């Protein structure tokens, strides 16, 4: 079975070294692995949230597409497209918006940061906040679940958005009674997921502390590296490699042996100027061949356009039938497919059956409910910090004997595994404990027989 990997970059600026290390490189490497079905896209709708300069957005789309192709992305092997070339994505975003709680969006880091800044300035909390910024996580969720991605390589600052995508997809699945969407998992390259910039903060265009990837050529690369902030230790004095932004960047692009050798040189007193030159030499050796391919592509944008159009056609072969199915699910059906006329017998819909429904509670913990076929909540689990723990427990509950698992006590119905209460009947459960016990056992048996 293939694993579908999906990632994208917002087209609001020129790719820098941090973009390459944190997103582009690991994603391209993943696309070459056996059993990987890779999707890569230019997130140009997302760019409109951050940028109202049309020329900048257009230029960035070209630069980012050229970058991905220059670093080795194979459009014959992967699906490479622009977000705006897939009209089904904004349509899906609206369907997801209609099932997403506002409270979930209130907790998004980007929105909360804007509110905090406004409060600190003494202005209206939502001053300058657009609906694009507020609902950004919903559009990101649509990007991901449209193609039922299994893994999404992102930086650490995007982990929350992946968790939100899971919550939103799960909510849709629950409301419409089927697993329409796969719940995506985050994929992070631990050592280099967030690369420091020239001043030690996260490398970001917002901080103006980036190192260019290709633009400006070797001269711009060297000039940026020479501006990396270091401490005041003189040549000959031992350096703190682990505390050095320069070493962190070097390590992100080196083998373990190369990084160890460079660290030893720093600890033995290598001067900062020599260290910066060593970093430049190392990066230039790596980037020069890719830079040459990049400038060739930039000079021939028609070649890039052909690749993107072919990728969009490939992506829409999946998106069009997916949206057809989702429109049917929410009731946006062709009138010819409506219920029979008054003279024809109405078709009875098949029941959903007993089922587990996982969710995230207000405190951020992962829990699940066990529902009867009629929708009555029979069990509510304890809280788990890890969603995988909750998932493993649901599988165990389905596998265990209902007679051994469930107990009726004076406090009510409980589910006990290995001597530990893992779920209980919810507060206000209808009927006495014995009746609940019988109904819950029957519901578990029915699941086992499906």
């Amino acid at each position: 079975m293939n694993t579908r990997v999906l990632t994208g970059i917002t087209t609001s600026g020129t790719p820098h070294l941090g973009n390459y290390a944190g997103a582009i490189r690991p994603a391209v490497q993943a696309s070459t692995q056996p059993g990987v079905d890779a999707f890569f896209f230019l997130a140009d709708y997302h760019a409109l949230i951050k940028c109202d300069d049309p020329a900048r957005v257009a230029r960035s789309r070209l630069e980012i597409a050229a970058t991905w192709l220059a670093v080795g992305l194979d459009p014959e092997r992967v699906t490479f497209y622009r977000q705006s070339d897939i009209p089904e994505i904004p349509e899906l975003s609206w369907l997801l918006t209609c099932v997403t709680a506002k409270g979930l969006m209130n907790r998004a880091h980007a929105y909360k940061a804007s509110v905090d800044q406004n409060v600190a300035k003494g202005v209206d909390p939502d001053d300058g906040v657009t609906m694009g910024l507020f609902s950004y996580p919903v559009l990101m969720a649509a990007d991901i679940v449209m193609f039922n991605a299994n893994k999404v390589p992102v930086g650490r600052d995007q982990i929350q958005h992946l968790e939100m995508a899971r919550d939103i997809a799960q909510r849709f699945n629950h409301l419409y009674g089927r697993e329409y969407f796969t719940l995506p998992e985050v994929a992070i390259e631990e050592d280099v997921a967030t690369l420091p910039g020239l001043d030690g903060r996260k490398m970001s265009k917002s901080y103006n502390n980036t190192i260019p990837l290709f633009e400006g050529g070797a001269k711009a690369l060297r000039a940026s590296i020479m501006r990396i902030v270091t401490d005041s230790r003189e040549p000959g004095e031992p350096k703190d490699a682990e505390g050095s932004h320069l070493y962190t960047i070097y390590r992100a692009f080196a083998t373990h042996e190369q990084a160890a050798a460079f660290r030893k040189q720093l600890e033995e007193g290598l001067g900062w100027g020599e260290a910066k030159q060593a970093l430049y030499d190392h990066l230039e050796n790596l980037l020069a061949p890719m830079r040459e391919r990049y400038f060739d592509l930039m000079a021939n944008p028609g070649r890039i356009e052909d690749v993107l159009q072919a990728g969009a056609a490939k992506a829409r072969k999946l998106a069009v039938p997916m949206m057809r199915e989702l429109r049917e699910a929410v009731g946006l059906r062709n009138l010819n497919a409506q219920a029979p006329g008054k003279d024809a017998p109405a078709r009875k819909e098949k029941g959903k059956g007993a089922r587990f429904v996982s969710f995230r509670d207000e405190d951020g913990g992962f829990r699940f409910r066990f529902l009867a076929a009629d929708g009555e909540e029979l069990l509510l689990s304890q809280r788990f910090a890890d969603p995988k723990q909750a998932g493993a427990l649901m599988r165990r509950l389905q596998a265990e004997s209902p007679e051994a698992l469930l107990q009726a006590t004076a406090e009510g119905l409980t589910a006990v595994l290995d001597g530990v209460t893992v779920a209980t009947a919810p507060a206000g459960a209808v009927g006495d404990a014995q009746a609940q016990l019988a109904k819950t056992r029957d519901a578990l048996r029915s699941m086992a027989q499906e």
Side-chain angles (χ1 to χ4, degrees):
M1 179 178 175
N2 285 345
T3 297
R4 183 162 291 169
V5 179
L6 178 146
T7 195
I9 292 182
T10 306
T11 57
S12 58
T14 302
H16 55 69
L17 204 63
N19 297 141
Y20 176 65
I24 302 175
R25 181 179 62 178
V28 172
Q29 288 174 343
S31 74
T32 66
Q33 301 302 309
V36 170
D37 181 17
F39 281 61
F40 299 90
F41 69 96
L42 308 180
D44 48 359
Y45 278 141
H46 287 294
L48 304 182
I49 299 169
K50 304 177 180 179
C51 181
D52 57 6
D53 180 352
R56 180 180 173 185
V57 172
R59 175 71 179 181
S60 180
R61 296 204 310 171
L62 175 62
E63 291 175 342
I64 291 175
T67 297
W68 282 36
L69 294 172
V71 302
L73 187 69
D74 182 357
E76 296 298 322
R77 182 168 186 159
V78 307
T79 304
F80 183 43
Y81 58 96
R82 276 180 299 233
Q83 183 187 38
S84 60
D85 286 336
I86 316 297
E88 292 76 22
I89 289 175
E91 183 179 1
L92 174 57
S93 181
W94 179 249
L95 296 190
L96 298 182
T97 296
C98 293
V99 304
T100 300
K102 178 178 179 291
L104 181 64
M105 295 297 97
N106 288 342
R107 297 194 289 273
H109 295 326
Y111 172 65
K112 288 176 65 178
S114 295
V115 169
D116 291 344
Q117 291 170 8
N118 286 335
V119 170
K121 290 187 293 186
V123 299
D124 184 90
D126 285 327
D127 183 57
V129 176
T130 66
M131 285 306 298
L133 173 65
F134 184 72
S135 59
Y136 168 91
V138 183
L139 179 56
M140 183 172 174
D143 292 325
I144 295 166
V145 303
M146 169 60 77
F147 301 107
N148 278 326
N150 304 110
K151 293 185 180 295
V152 184
V154 295
R156 291 192 175 279
D157 58 336
Q158 293 290 318
I159 291 177
Q160 185 199 41
H161 289 151
L162 259 293
E163 293 174 343
M164 287 181 164
R166 289 175 60 92
D167 291 342
I168 294 168
Q170 193 164 271
R171 175 65 175 165
F172 189 98
N173 289 346
H174 170 57
L175 283 176
Y176 293 103
R178 233 187 73 196
E179 298 299 312
Y180 290 97
F181 301 125
T182 299
L183 303 187
E185 295 182 4
V186 65
I188 294 179
E189 196 172 62
E190 290 293 338
D191 292 338
V192 296
T194 302
L195 206 63
L198 305 180
D199 57 3
R201 292 180 294 177
K202 174 194 171 185
M203 191 177 294
S204 170
K205 294 181 288 291
S206 302
Y207 300 144
N208 193 30
N209 69 348
T210 62
I211 297 174
L213 183 59
F214 298 138
E215 287 296 315
K219 183 177 180 180
L221 176 65
R222 188 177 188 280
S224 295
I225 289 172
M226 293 302 165
R227 290 169 48 216
I228 294 175
V229 174
T230 57
D231 61 32
S232 58
R233 300 181 201 190
E234 298 290 337
E237 290 186 68
K239 309 299 189 295
D240 176 15
E242 285 299 323
S244 164
H245 317 315
L246 190 149
Y247 172 70
T248 301
I249 296 171
Y250 188 100
R251 183 177 59 190
F253 297 95
T255 65
H256 290 299
E257 293 75 19
Q258 289 170 329
F262 187 57
R263 174 175 182 156
K264 183 178 180 182
Q265 286 180 298
L266 289 172
E267 293 174 344
E268 290 178 349
L270 182 69
W272 287 123
E274 293 176 284
K276 291 178 179 181
Q277 182 63 42
L279 174 59
Y280 163 73
D281 290 340
H282 183 75
L283 288 178
E284 177 62 15
N285 183 60
L286 172 72
L287 299 178
M290 294 188 286
R291 187 191 300 129
E292 184 178 351
R293 293 193 293 271
Y294 171 80
F295 283 120
D296 180 57
L297 287 162
M298 290 292 290
N300 295 279
R303 287 165 50 191
I304 300 175
E305 183 66 24
D306 289 344
V307 168
L308 292 171
Q309 289 297 331
K314 188 176 177 181
R316 293 198 70 206
K317 286 182 179 178
L318 298 175
V320 170
M322 179 67 160
M323 277 311 306
R324 188 183 302 122
E325 184 178 10
L326 295 175
R327 288 172 65 87
E328 177 77 15
V330 301
L332 304 180
R333 306 178 180 116
N334 187 298
L335 294 180
N336 293 327
Q338 293 286 41
K342 62 180 182 179
D343 295 329
R347 184 176 63 184
K348 185 177 180 180
E349 292 188 5
K350 182 180 178 181
K352 295 180 181 178
R355 59 202 180 275
F356 286 98
V357 177
S358 55
F359 67 99
R360 198 165 189 183
D361 64 21
E362 293 181 354
D363 297 323
F366 296 93
R367 310 179 77 168
F368 63 81
R369 298 182 176 93
F370 180 52
L371 306 180
D374 60 6
E376 180 186 348
E377 184 176 333
L378 301 176
L379 292 172
L380 175 64
S381 79
Q382 303 301 319
R383 180 181 293 113
F384 298 92
D386 184 349
K388 293 182 180 179
Q389 289 179 291
L393 180 57
M394 284 190 285
R395 290 190 292 273
R396 279 202 65 186
L397 291 180
Q398 294 178 62
E400 295 288 334
S401 164
E403 285 71 21
L405 173 69
L406 301 172
Q407 300 178 9
T409 67
E411 289 75 27
L413 180 65
T414 63
V416 179
L417 281 174
D418 303 327
V420 177
T421 298
V422 295
T424 59
V430 179
D432 59 34
Q434 289 298 327
Q436 284 292 311
L437 176 63
K439 184 171 184 176
T440 306
R441 283 176 174 171
D442 287 343
L444 284 169
R445 290 191 196 99
S446 71
M447 283 192 69
Q449 294 169 0
E450 289 179 356

